Amino acid sequence: MNAILQCAKFGEPTDGAEIYVTDFPCLQCTKMLLQAGIKKIYYLRNYHNDPYAMSLIEKKHVTLTHVELDAEAIERASVDAYLAGH
Ligand SMILES: [Zn+2]
């Protein structure tokens, strides 16, 4: 919700945009994202996934992607960042 409102405030178009969120959006947020014209949703965690929200996303042909984080890749990236800082 905040991300969309910030876009509205600063005149950044959301129509056709992609969004990255940590948790599966609730029904109200899903409706808002669809109204804002979001075309791709990437989310990290399944969180009380609302079946009605899922059906709305499907009906609007919005791409829904569950992002899988690779723990080893994160570890390597943080070690690299640590070494780069020394
Ligand atoms: Zn929500």
Side-chain angles (χ1 to χ4, degrees), residues 1-44:
M1 174 75 86
N2 277 332
I4 299 296
L5 291 178
Q6 286 291 305
C7 288
K9 183 177 177 185
F10 296 107
E12 194 67 41
T14 54
D15 197 28
E18 304 178 350
I19 194 165
Y20 296 79
V21 293
T22 49
D23 297 316
F24 190 89
C26 71
L27 181 58
Q28 290 310 315
C29 287
T30 297
K31 286 180 178 173
M32 191 249 332
L33 294 175
L34 297 177
Q35 292 267 302
I38 296 291
K39 287 288 172 261
K40 289 183 181 176
I41 303 170
Y42 294 90
Y43 72 102
L44 197 54

Side-chain angles (χ1 to χ4, degrees), residues 10-82:
F10 296 107
E12 194 67 41
T14 54
D15 197 28
E18 304 178 350
I19 194 165
Y20 296 79
V21 293
T22 49
D23 297 316
F24 190 89
C26 71
L27 181 58
Q28 290 310 315
C29 287
T30 297
K31 286 180 178 173
M32 191 249 332
L33 294 175
L34 297 177
Q35 292 267 302
I38 296 291
K39 287 288 172 261
K40 289 183 181 176
I41 303 170
Y42 294 90
Y43 72 102
L44 197 54
R45 284 186 297 237
N46 287 304
Y47 182 75
H48 301 299
N49 298 15
D50 189 304
Y52 184 55
M54 280 181 150
S55 72
L56 288 178
I57 289 167
E58 252 177 57
K59 208 167 20 170
K60 293 273 185 181
H61 305 292
V62 167
T63 312
L64 185 63
T65 309
H66 181 213
V67 178
E68 300 278 0
L69 279 189
D70 176 351
E72 273 184 35
I74 294 170
E75 182 84 0
R76 275 197 307 275
S78 58
V79 168
D80 288 348
Y82 177 80

